[in-house]
Amino acid sequence: MTHLPPPAEELRLLDTELRQLDARRALLLARRAWLITALRPPVAPPPPPPPVRRPETTAPRVQNVLLVLGGALLTIAAIAFTLVSWGRMGIAGRALVLGAVTLASLGSPVLLLRHRLRSTAEAVAGLGLALTVLDVDALHEVALPDTNGLGYAAIASALLAALWTAYGLALGGTRRPTGEAAAPARLTLRLPLPTALAAAQLPLILWAAAADAGAPVMTGALLVTAALDTAVALRVHVRSVCLVAAVGAYGLGGWGSFAAGWLSWTATGPSAVARAAALLLFAAAVALAAAWRLPDTNVATWVASAGGLLTVAALGGVPRSSLPGEFTVPGYLVCAVAVLAAVRTRLPEPMRRGLALAAASVQAVAVVWALPPVAVALLGPVARVGRVWTGAPSTAREAVTPVGVPWPPYAATAPLVLVVVATVLAVAVRGTKWRPRATIGASALVWAAALVLPAALDIPYWAGMSAQGLTIVAALAYVARSAEPRPVLFLPALVGSVSLACLSLAAEGTTLGVLAALTVLFAAVSGRSRLAPVAALAYATALACAVGASLGWQSPYIALLVLLVPVVAALLAARLAGSPARVPVEVTGAVAGLLAVGLAVPDPPLLALVLALCAVIAAGTAVREDRRPAGYAATALFVLAAWVRLACWGVGSVEAYTLPVTVPALLVGAFGRRKDPLTSSWTAYGAGLSVTLVPSLLTAWIDPDWPRPLLLGVAALAVTLVGARHRLRAPLVLGGGVLALDALHELAPYLVQMAGALPRWVPPALAGLVLLALGATYEQRIRDARRVREVLGRMR
């Protein structure tokens, strides 16, 4: 009997078989598809489609080119007809031909627009406009040959502008037929109106030229034409008309404004000045009116700025003709300040920005004009460094002006210009962002005005010195009272003090008094700026040199006075712990010490004393925990002082120069190894021992006597024994090496004598025996060498 499984088990078995059949069927189908592809012959790829020739231009462009070319050819033909065939016809024939052609050309666009042929209508209308010009020219040649050409051209251009404007407005479009609600939009001509506006640029200019009215009238014609263009640009919303109007407004307006400004600058009489001022004010009014109506805020700002500049040029030119040349720039500056007052009005924001920009530009130019006398007053005294105590000049201007350099012309009002601009900065700038910068700028301008004022007024020399000193005192007082000290507030006082110090070099007493006062002043504000202590020490150094020179001392003795400055700097630096001024003070003291050393060079005994005192100052600085490296400088200075002193005494022994270095170096090394036992002997003692042993060995090799080599050998033996006793590598190697070389130097003569007495075969034989001995005990020698290396390695 057949065994049948349960239904659930049978269903599972059937599902398993079906899945296997599906998998097998998919495999067979994939194989079948591959076989069909392999047996099928290869099919050639389809050929690429032939290239399609595309037109190089569009149909509207071709149409426009053809129409423009046709209109140009017709215009040329009309010109040729007028010039060539005109004389062959009578008056009636001429009038009939030109009239008929002109009317046909001007009337055809009506029909063309109705048939919606706009481009063709534009071309034919252009031909008609050109024919009207030929008609006007022909009329002048036939009927009015004796009239003025420029005058006739002015009237003709005005009539043509009016005719073309009427023509353009008449052909503004075609009306829709009655009852056609869905009729297409009407078409208009674009050419007549901008052409009419272009022709309208000529009448006033040609009329002024024909009347030979002069530069003011020609300038007025330019400005009136520009004003008309501005009105058209602001009120007409046709793009082509606005473009022509804008070009005319900017071009003719700029040309006319420049011409009016030149007339104002070169005017000599009141009437000429008044005419130029009226022209400039008219141009300014046009610019400001345009800025009021312009929708673009950026363009309105720049146009308003131009209007403000024209206003300043107009108002400033009036007093220029009647006042001296020194007041030309102040006059324009006052007008700029008056224009700046309009910023507080209720004008639109772009106009206020433009007027402020114009006023600021004029003030900047005025400040630049005032800079040359400031530069002379500031840098001129430096030339007195080469003429110390040659006599005080009579005036402040003579004191600051170098020989061969003239005082800048029209500089008497430079302080007034600087003060006015400083006042404007202090009063006008009230924003929280720009207020600190404006305050700094105003302070700098006031300081510059005070600096140049004595020379500008040409007051006596002592009065100028006093005024500059009071300026420095005021600047330092301002720094002392400021809530937040900043270097930019201190710089004017520092720069002015340098100029004052150079000015004081003219007389001996003045030099001493000024340097002493500057030292006290900068010392008094040393807590408000990191540069104040540096300036005080620098002026103290200069004062020490001046006092020594006043007493008639030589430069080596002046060096002793200068050394007081490094002492004060070291004491002051100890009190400035954690202050940013500490390092500048120490650097200033070091520079003063170097100056003292340089002054003492001509006298070696005093040089040794100066070096020793500098070493004492450096050693005192090294006492502080954070200035330990100064001890190295102190040691070097002490050694240099000892060497200079030994050279003064005529000591020729090299050990006298090296032992003062070796002993401190060994003491420092011993102290360092006691503090840090892991310090290498080369670091602790290598440098100190080398300073004495190496120069002594070199000297011993060229010394023919025996005491120096003997003493060097004894010293080297002692160093070697100390190194062996304490297992120190540096003393052992240095001492042993010097001892060996010293012994070789002493035995060298005997070795040479022995080598000369022996037969020539003895040295090679001895060398061979040595090599045999070494070869026989090679392994033992290697072990011994390793043992020696290990022993040296265990040494420190």
mmCIF file of all heavy atoms in Angstrom, residues 248-276:
data_model
loop_
_atom_site.group_PDB
_atom_site.id
_atom_site.type_symbol
_atom_site.label_atom_id
_atom_site.label_comp_id
_atom_site.label_asym_id
_atom_site.label_seq_id
_atom_site.Cartn_x
_atom_site.Cartn_y
_atom_site.Cartn_z
ATOM 1 N N GLY A 248 22.081 113.325 -23.271
ATOM 2 C CA GLY A 248 22.209 114.771 -23.407
ATOM 3 C C GLY A 248 22.361 115.469 -22.071
ATOM 4 O O GLY A 248 23.148 116.418 -21.933
ATOM 5 N N ALA A 249 21.594 115.018 -21.061
ATOM 6 C CA ALA A 249 21.675 115.662 -19.751
ATOM 7 C C ALA A 249 23.050 115.491 -19.128
ATOM 8 O O ALA A 249 23.655 116.459 -18.646
ATOM 9 C CB ALA A 249 20.597 115.084 -18.837
ATOM 10 N N TYR A 250 23.566 114.258 -19.126
ATOM 11 C CA TYR A 250 24.871 114.027 -18.523
ATOM 12 C C TYR A 250 26.005 114.652 -19.338
ATOM 13 O O TYR A 250 26.922 115.281 -18.776
ATOM 14 C CB TYR A 250 25.121 112.529 -18.361
ATOM 15 C CG TYR A 250 24.357 111.906 -17.227
ATOM 16 C CD1 TYR A 250 23.350 110.981 -17.454
ATOM 17 C CD2 TYR A 250 24.646 112.235 -15.908
ATOM 18 C CE1 TYR A 250 22.634 110.402 -16.411
ATOM 19 C CE2 TYR A 250 23.949 111.667 -14.856
ATOM 20 C CZ TYR A 250 22.941 110.746 -15.123
ATOM 21 O OH TYR A 250 22.260 110.194 -14.079
ATOM 22 N N GLY A 251 25.935 114.501 -20.672
ATOM 23 C CA GLY A 251 27.019 115.024 -21.499
ATOM 24 C C GLY A 251 27.068 116.537 -21.521
ATOM 25 O O GLY A 251 28.088 117.156 -21.167
ATOM 26 N N LEU A 252 25.943 117.161 -21.930
ATOM 27 C CA LEU A 252 25.926 118.622 -21.995
ATOM 28 C C LEU A 252 25.982 119.246 -20.607
ATOM 29 O O LEU A 252 26.604 120.304 -20.411
ATOM 30 C CB LEU A 252 24.670 119.086 -22.725
ATOM 31 C CG LEU A 252 24.551 118.636 -24.193
ATOM 32 C CD1 LEU A 252 23.264 119.156 -24.785
ATOM 33 C CD2 LEU A 252 25.750 119.110 -24.995
ATOM 34 N N GLY A 253 25.354 118.586 -19.605
ATOM 35 C CA GLY A 253 25.419 119.122 -18.244
ATOM 36 C C GLY A 253 26.823 119.090 -17.678
ATOM 37 O O GLY A 253 27.277 120.053 -17.051
ATOM 38 N N GLY A 254 27.536 117.984 -17.910
ATOM 39 C CA GLY A 254 28.917 117.934 -17.438
ATOM 40 C C GLY A 254 29.808 118.928 -18.137
ATOM 41 O O GLY A 254 30.644 119.599 -17.501
ATOM 42 N N TRP A 255 29.649 119.045 -19.449
ATOM 43 C CA TRP A 255 30.432 120.022 -20.203
ATOM 44 C C TRP A 255 30.130 121.441 -19.746
ATOM 45 O O TRP A 255 31.035 122.250 -19.499
ATOM 46 C CB TRP A 255 30.110 119.838 -21.695
ATOM 47 C CG TRP A 255 30.948 120.684 -22.613
ATOM 48 C CD1 TRP A 255 32.055 121.417 -22.293
ATOM 49 C CD2 TRP A 255 30.724 120.897 -24.018
ATOM 50 N NE1 TRP A 255 32.539 122.065 -23.389
ATOM 51 C CE2 TRP A 255 31.745 121.769 -24.474
ATOM 52 C CE3 TRP A 255 29.772 120.433 -24.914
ATOM 53 C CZ2 TRP A 255 31.826 122.172 -25.800
ATOM 54 C CZ3 TRP A 255 29.855 120.839 -26.247
ATOM 55 C CH2 TRP A 255 30.869 121.697 -26.676
ATOM 56 N N GLY A 256 28.858 121.760 -19.596
ATOM 57 C CA GLY A 256 28.502 123.105 -19.151
ATOM 58 C C GLY A 256 28.945 123.392 -17.725
ATOM 59 O O GLY A 256 29.378 124.521 -17.413
ATOM 60 N N SER A 257 28.865 122.399 -16.831
ATOM 61 C CA SER A 257 29.304 122.609 -15.447
ATOM 62 C C SER A 257 30.803 122.852 -15.375
ATOM 63 O O SER A 257 31.272 123.729 -14.631
ATOM 64 C CB SER A 257 28.920 121.398 -14.601
ATOM 65 O OG SER A 257 27.522 121.215 -14.588
ATOM 66 N N PHE A 258 31.545 122.082 -16.160
ATOM 67 C CA PHE A 258 32.997 122.316 -16.183
ATOM 68 C C PHE A 258 33.323 123.704 -16.722
ATOM 69 O O PHE A 258 34.191 124.410 -16.177
ATOM 70 C CB PHE A 258 33.673 121.236 -17.031
ATOM 71 C CG PHE A 258 35.149 121.421 -17.169
ATOM 72 C CD1 PHE A 258 36.010 121.066 -16.144
ATOM 73 C CD2 PHE A 258 35.679 121.972 -18.330
ATOM 74 C CE1 PHE A 258 37.381 121.246 -16.277
ATOM 75 C CE2 PHE A 258 37.044 122.164 -18.463
ATOM 76 C CZ PHE A 258 37.894 121.795 -17.434
ATOM 77 N N ALA A 259 32.640 124.100 -17.778
ATOM 78 C CA ALA A 259 32.887 125.434 -18.340
ATOM 79 C C ALA A 259 32.517 126.524 -17.342
ATOM 80 O O ALA A 259 33.245 127.523 -17.183
ATOM 81 C CB ALA A 259 32.092 125.598 -19.634
ATOM 82 N N ALA A 260 31.408 126.344 -16.622
ATOM 83 C CA ALA A 260 31.019 127.347 -15.622
ATOM 84 C C ALA A 260 32.023 127.393 -14.478
ATOM 85 O O ALA A 260 32.359 128.474 -13.971
ATOM 86 C CB ALA A 260 29.616 127.027 -15.094
ATOM 87 N N GLY A 261 32.510 126.232 -14.057
ATOM 88 C CA GLY A 261 33.533 126.222 -13.009
ATOM 89 C C GLY A 261 34.816 126.896 -13.444
ATOM 90 O O GLY A 261 35.447 127.622 -12.658
ATOM 91 N N TRP A 262 35.207 126.680 -14.704
ATOM 92 C CA TRP A 262 36.411 127.352 -15.210
ATOM 93 C C TRP A 262 36.207 128.865 -15.286
ATOM 94 O O TRP A 262 37.124 129.640 -14.976
ATOM 95 C CB TRP A 262 36.761 126.790 -16.574
ATOM 96 C CG TRP A 262 37.997 127.388 -17.161
ATOM 97 C CD1 TRP A 262 38.086 128.317 -18.150
ATOM 98 C CD2 TRP A 262 39.341 127.116 -16.751
ATOM 99 N NE1 TRP A 262 39.385 128.633 -18.401
ATOM 100 C CE2 TRP A 262 40.204 127.912 -17.562
ATOM 101 C CE3 TRP A 262 39.918 126.282 -15.804
ATOM 102 C CZ2 TRP A 262 41.569 127.883 -17.435
ATOM 103 C CZ3 TRP A 262 41.300 126.255 -15.678
ATOM 104 C CH2 TRP A 262 42.104 127.049 -16.486
ATOM 105 N N LEU A 263 35.014 129.300 -15.692
ATOM 106 C CA LEU A 263 34.729 130.734 -15.704
ATOM 107 C C LEU A 263 34.785 131.318 -14.299
ATOM 108 O O LEU A 263 35.294 132.426 -14.095
ATOM 109 C CB LEU A 263 33.342 130.972 -16.315
ATOM 110 C CG LEU A 263 33.203 130.704 -17.814
ATOM 111 C CD1 LEU A 263 31.755 130.878 -18.237
ATOM 112 C CD2 LEU A 263 34.108 131.637 -18.624
ATOM 113 N N SER A 264 34.276 130.567 -13.310
ATOM 114 C CA SER A 264 34.325 131.060 -11.934
ATOM 115 C C SER A 264 35.755 131.142 -11.414
ATOM 116 O O SER A 264 36.121 132.067 -10.691
ATOM 117 C CB SER A 264 33.482 130.150 -11.042
ATOM 118 O OG SER A 264 33.573 130.533 -9.686
ATOM 119 N N TRP A 265 36.593 130.171 -11.779
ATOM 120 C CA TRP A 265 37.969 130.155 -11.284
ATOM 121 C C TRP A 265 38.827 131.245 -11.923
ATOM 122 O O TRP A 265 39.734 131.778 -11.285
ATOM 123 C CB TRP A 265 38.575 128.775 -11.538
ATOM 124 C CG TRP A 265 39.943 128.598 -10.969
ATOM 125 C CD1 TRP A 265 41.126 128.634 -11.630
ATOM 126 C CD2 TRP A 265 40.261 128.391 -9.604
ATOM 127 N NE1 TRP A 265 42.167 128.448 -10.770
ATOM 128 C CE2 TRP A 265 41.673 128.284 -9.506
ATOM 129 C CE3 TRP A 265 39.505 128.275 -8.441
ATOM 130 C CZ2 TRP A 265 42.321 128.069 -8.295
ATOM 131 C CZ3 TRP A 265 40.157 128.055 -7.239
ATOM 132 C CH2 TRP A 265 41.538 127.952 -7.176
ATOM 133 N N THR A 266 38.538 131.558 -13.184
ATOM 134 C CA THR A 266 39.347 132.560 -13.893
ATOM 135 C C THR A 266 38.721 133.952 -13.882
ATOM 136 O O THR A 266 39.292 134.867 -14.473
ATOM 137 C CB THR A 266 39.550 132.111 -15.346
ATOM 138 O OG1 THR A 266 38.275 131.906 -15.965
ATOM 139 C CG2 THR A 266 40.355 130.814 -15.397
ATOM 140 N N ALA A 267 37.557 134.107 -13.252
ATOM 141 C CA ALA A 267 36.905 135.425 -13.243
ATOM 142 C C ALA A 267 37.699 136.397 -12.384
ATOM 143 O O ALA A 267 38.227 136.046 -11.329
ATOM 144 C CB ALA A 267 35.477 135.289 -12.702
ATOM 145 N N THR A 268 37.759 137.651 -12.851
ATOM 146 C CA THR A 268 38.520 138.681 -12.137
ATOM 147 C C THR A 268 37.648 139.810 -11.603
ATOM 148 O O THR A 268 37.971 140.420 -10.594
ATOM 149 C CB THR A 268 39.597 139.267 -13.066
ATOM 150 O OG1 THR A 268 38.981 139.752 -14.268
ATOM 151 C CG2 THR A 268 40.622 138.201 -13.427
ATOM 152 N N GLY A 269 36.578 140.102 -12.269
ATOM 153 C CA GLY A 269 35.714 141.204 -11.838
ATOM 154 C C GLY A 269 34.448 140.714 -11.174
ATOM 155 O O GLY A 269 34.069 139.538 -11.281
ATOM 156 N N PRO A 270 33.749 141.596 -10.466
ATOM 157 C CA PRO A 270 32.509 141.183 -9.791
ATOM 158 C C PRO A 270 31.440 140.687 -10.751
ATOM 159 O O PRO A 270 30.725 139.735 -10.455
ATOM 160 C CB PRO A 270 32.070 142.456 -9.067
ATOM 161 C CG PRO A 270 33.316 143.273 -8.939
ATOM 162 C CD PRO A 270 34.126 142.979 -10.151
ATOM 163 N N SER A 271 31.304 141.346 -11.921
ATOM 164 C CA SER A 271 30.267 140.926 -12.870
ATOM 165 C C SER A 271 30.559 139.534 -13.421
ATOM 166 O O SER A 271 29.649 138.693 -13.541
ATOM 167 C CB SER A 271 30.169 141.937 -14.007
ATOM 168 O OG SER A 271 31.421 142.048 -14.681
ATOM 169 N N ALA A 272 31.824 139.284 -13.766
ATOM 170 C CA ALA A 272 32.183 137.962 -14.282
ATOM 171 C C ALA A 272 31.961 136.891 -13.224
ATOM 172 O O ALA A 272 31.476 135.787 -13.513
ATOM 173 C CB ALA A 272 33.638 137.959 -14.749
ATOM 174 N N VAL A 273 32.318 137.209 -11.976
ATOM 175 C CA VAL A 273 32.105 136.253 -10.892
ATOM 176 C C VAL A 273 30.623 135.986 -10.700
ATOM 177 O O VAL A 273 30.184 134.833 -10.489
ATOM 178 C CB VAL A 273 32.746 136.773 -9.596
ATOM 179 C CG1 VAL A 273 32.371 135.892 -8.412
ATOM 180 C CG2 VAL A 273 34.263 136.836 -9.740
ATOM 181 N N ALA A 274 29.813 137.028 -10.759
ATOM 182 C CA ALA A 274 28.366 136.864 -10.574
ATOM 183 C C ALA A 274 27.763 136.005 -11.688
ATOM 184 O O ALA A 274 26.915 135.140 -11.441
ATOM 185 C CB ALA A 274 27.692 138.225 -10.518
ATOM 186 N N ARG A 275 28.198 136.239 -12.950
ATOM 187 C CA ARG A 275 27.674 135.429 -14.059
ATOM 188 C C ARG A 275 28.052 133.958 -13.879
ATOM 189 O O ARG A 275 27.212 133.067 -14.063
ATOM 190 C CB ARG A 275 28.211 135.975 -15.388
ATOM 191 C CG ARG A 275 27.563 137.268 -15.847
ATOM 192 C CD ARG A 275 27.900 137.531 -17.307
ATOM 193 N NE ARG A 275 29.338 137.656 -17.520
ATOM 194 C CZ ARG A 275 30.011 138.797 -17.481
ATOM 195 N NH1 ARG A 275 29.361 139.940 -17.220
ATOM 196 N NH2 ARG A 275 31.310 138.838 -17.695
ATOM 197 N N ALA A 276 29.318 133.710 -13.532
ATOM 198 C CA ALA A 276 29.754 132.319 -13.338
ATOM 199 C C ALA A 276 29.013 131.666 -12.174
ATOM 200 O O ALA A 276 28.603 130.494 -12.252
ATOM 201 C CB ALA A 276 31.265 132.270 -13.094
#
